[in-house]
Amino acid sequence: DIQMTQSPSSLSASVGDRVTITCRSSQSITRYLNWYQHKVGKAPKLLIYGASGLQSGVPSRFSGSGSGTDFTLSISSLQPEDFATYYCQQSYDTPLTFGGGTKVEI
Amino acid sequence: QQQLQESGPGLVKPSETLSLTCNVSGGSIISNNYYWGWVRQPPGKGLEWIGSIYHSGTSHSNPSLKSRVTMLIDASKNHFFLRLSSVTAADTAVYYCARATGATSGFPDALDVWGHGTTVTVSS
């Protein structure tokens, strides 16, 4: 299985801050990397597909980059509704695997 | 916009079979573009992909669960199903059904539509 490692596991930030989350895969996954936002009690939401594609309806303050084994999710100006847990997920091979999550807190 | 909704018993006894249904609304489950599948989240832990199935019956599942997992589609009712046999307390989790892109490539890709999740507890 391809292992996905996210860092940090949690971070504290303020409204308006720029936030960057890192995801590393145990082998090259080219650009088969997706990012999700998950709030407690709600369905996870796809933010970024294919490493940098912005899912329809997702605000442009979210962006993704990277290829190979190293990827980042950036939030340019953190908004109150962005406090959540973020997961990366590889789709290069099955089983699909997720990172351990990054909790973004106030 | 398609919507997914999970249903099933919230409590299952150890060694029994967990059975969940996902109802798809707002579009046909017979789509050449999507897989239909399941993800779970145990309490205090991250997300784990269980498996995904195409309307033809082709499926991919997590080897860690493969021998216990059965996925089915009922196109006439626009439903798909998960059955997980021989459950233990480790199978206690919130179970989500989710639509996956990537069918044209032959493998599930991004999970772009999710149900709200259903909590399943394994306990006697």
Side-chain angles (χ1 to χ4, degrees):
Chain A
D1 299 3
I2 298 174
Q3 306 302 316
M4 306 300 295
T5 303
Q6 282 182 240
S7 60
S9 57
S10 66
L11 65 90
S12 296
S14 300
V15 172
D17 285 353
R18 179 178 181 85
V19 169
T20 299
I21 298 168
T22 296
C23 179
R24 176 166 289 175
S25 56
S26 59
Q27 66 181 75
S28 176
I29 56 172
T30 63
R31 293 178 64 81
Y32 286 90
L33 191 284
N34 309 302
W35 289 98
Y36 301 86
Q37 177 191 68
H38 192 197
K39 297 180 181 180
V40 173
K42 297 204 169 184
K45 176 182 177 182
L46 176 65
L47 299 175
I48 302 288
Y49 61 90
S52 61
L54 189 67
Q55 176 68 357
S56 175
V58 174
S60 59
R61 63 181 179 272
F62 291 92
S63 64
S65 65
S67 66
T69 60
D70 295 300
F71 301 87
T72 59
L73 173 70
S74 296
I75 309 172
S76 61
S77 177
L78 200 65
Q79 297 301 300
E81 60 268 30
D82 300 337
F83 292 96
T85 300
Y86 294 83
Y87 293 93
C88 61
Q89 172 243 326
Q90 65 81 20
S91 53
Y92 182 80
D93 195 10
T94 56
L96 306 183
T97 47
F98 292 88
T102 296
K103 187 173 184 179
V104 177
E105 301 175 294
I106 299 173
Chain B
Q1 173 73 356
Q2 285 188 314
Q3 293 185 313
L4 280 60
Q5 177 67 58
E6 307 87 351
S7 61
L11 181 65
V12 182
K13 290 183 168 55
S15 80
E16 295 189 344
T17 295
L18 178 163
S19 295
L20 296 176
T21 300
C22 184
N23 179 59
V24 179
S25 59
S28 175
I29 202 169
I30 302 178
S31 166
N32 291 332
N33 298 322
Y34 301 112
Y35 277 90
W36 307 93
W38 300 90
V39 174
R40 71 180 183 179
Q41 183 175 35
K45 296 188 178 181
L47 300 170
E48 179 183 30
W49 176 74
I50 298 170
S52 300
I53 185 168
Y54 190 56
H55 67 79
S56 66
T58 298
S59 66
H60 302 269
S61 55
N62 196 322
S64 67
L65 301 169
K66 193 169 188 175
S67 62
R68 299 194 292 130
V69 168
T70 302
M71 292 181 290
L72 299 167
I73 283 186
D74 184 342
S76 67
K77 295 183 178 179
N78 237 31
H79 292 172
F80 61 101
F81 308 95
L82 171 69
R83 295 197 179 113
L84 183 65
S85 63
S86 305
V87 297
T88 70
D91 295 309
T92 294
V94 177
Y95 285 77
Y96 297 94
C97 57
R99 187 181 82 175
T101 62
T104 52
S105 69
F107 289 93
D109 193 339
L111 303 162
D112 68 340
V113 180
W114 296 66
H116 282 88
T118 187
T119 299
V120 178
T121 301
V122 178
S123 175
S124 56

